[in-house]
Amino acid sequence: MKAFATALAVLIAPTFANASTISVGDNYGNAFTLTTGGYVSYAFTASEALTVSEIVVAGTGFSNAGLDSVQFGRVGYGVIHSFDMIESGSDPDTWAAIGFIEGFTLDVGETFSLFFEKNWGFFDANMAISFATSEVEAPAPVPLPAAGGLLVIALAGLGAAAARRKRAA
């Protein structure tokens, strides 16, 4: 029975999820390791209407096989991203990568989830994500056209003329 519990724990370990509530002014950042066959997801709920900035995803790994099998994206949006690989420093076995997910706006109580998965390769990928939140920008006010002032004057004139006729009658 102990062997079964250990095997189950090993199978479940590569997959985990994290949930957070976000507010205007938050700067979110987190680092984690993604193993081969691993899947990590993060879920966020907006406590108020807000804008999420572009999400930056970075990774480092030993050999490009640690990073070139990593895919990530926003759950439910059908756009799957992968890294552009960059050799890191003077060590030819150390690689770095960076990727981006476009920013978006959320209403109170709306949620979004990010996912990261690594389907093959021998080496782990060290990952980091970050984004910031800000107030939703209100649309620019619509200027009152100059004709609006003329309309008010014309209506006042019609009202005065009607009152004068009423007194004359």
Side-chain angles (χ1 to χ4, degrees):
M1 186 65 166
K2 186 175 182 181
F4 176 73
T6 303
L8 185 60
V10 168
L11 287 173
I12 294 173
T15 302
F16 61 92
N18 300 288
S20 298
T21 300
I22 54 175
S23 302
V24 170
D26 285 351
N27 290 307
Y28 182 85
N30 195 37
F32 59 95
T33 299
L34 193 56
T35 60
T36 299
Y39 181 91
V40 175
S41 67
Y42 292 89
F44 301 93
T45 302
S47 64
E48 56 192 310
L50 53 81
T51 298
V52 175
S53 69
E54 181 176 60
I55 300 168
V56 179
V57 180
T60 60
F62 179 77
S63 166
N64 66 343
L67 294 171
D68 64 358
S69 67
V70 172
Q71 294 183 323
F72 57 92
R74 209 170 137 199
V75 174
Y77 281 80
V79 179
I80 297 177
H81 304 275
S82 57
F83 287 123
D84 290 328
M85 304 300 297
I86 331 168
E87 210 170 325
S88 176
S90 59
D91 184 354
D93 289 328
T94 303
W95 289 76
I98 192 162
F100 303 94
I101 299 172
E102 287 185 29
F104 47 91
T105 301
L106 297 172
D107 265 334
V108 178
E110 283 189 311
T111 63
F112 75 96
S113 297
L114 304 174
F115 74 90
F116 304 87
E117 64 183 337
K118 185 173 183 323
N119 295 319
W120 61 274
F122 297 108
F123 304 106
D124 293 346
N126 298 308
M127 307 290 295
I129 60 170
S130 66
F131 64 85
T133 61
S134 60
E135 289 183 24
V136 176
E137 288 185 28
V142 178
L144 180 65
L150 293 174
L151 178 62
V152 169
I153 293 170
L155 290 174
L158 289 173
R164 182 181 247 170
R165 266 191 242 132
K166 191 177 187 178
R167 275 186 266 151

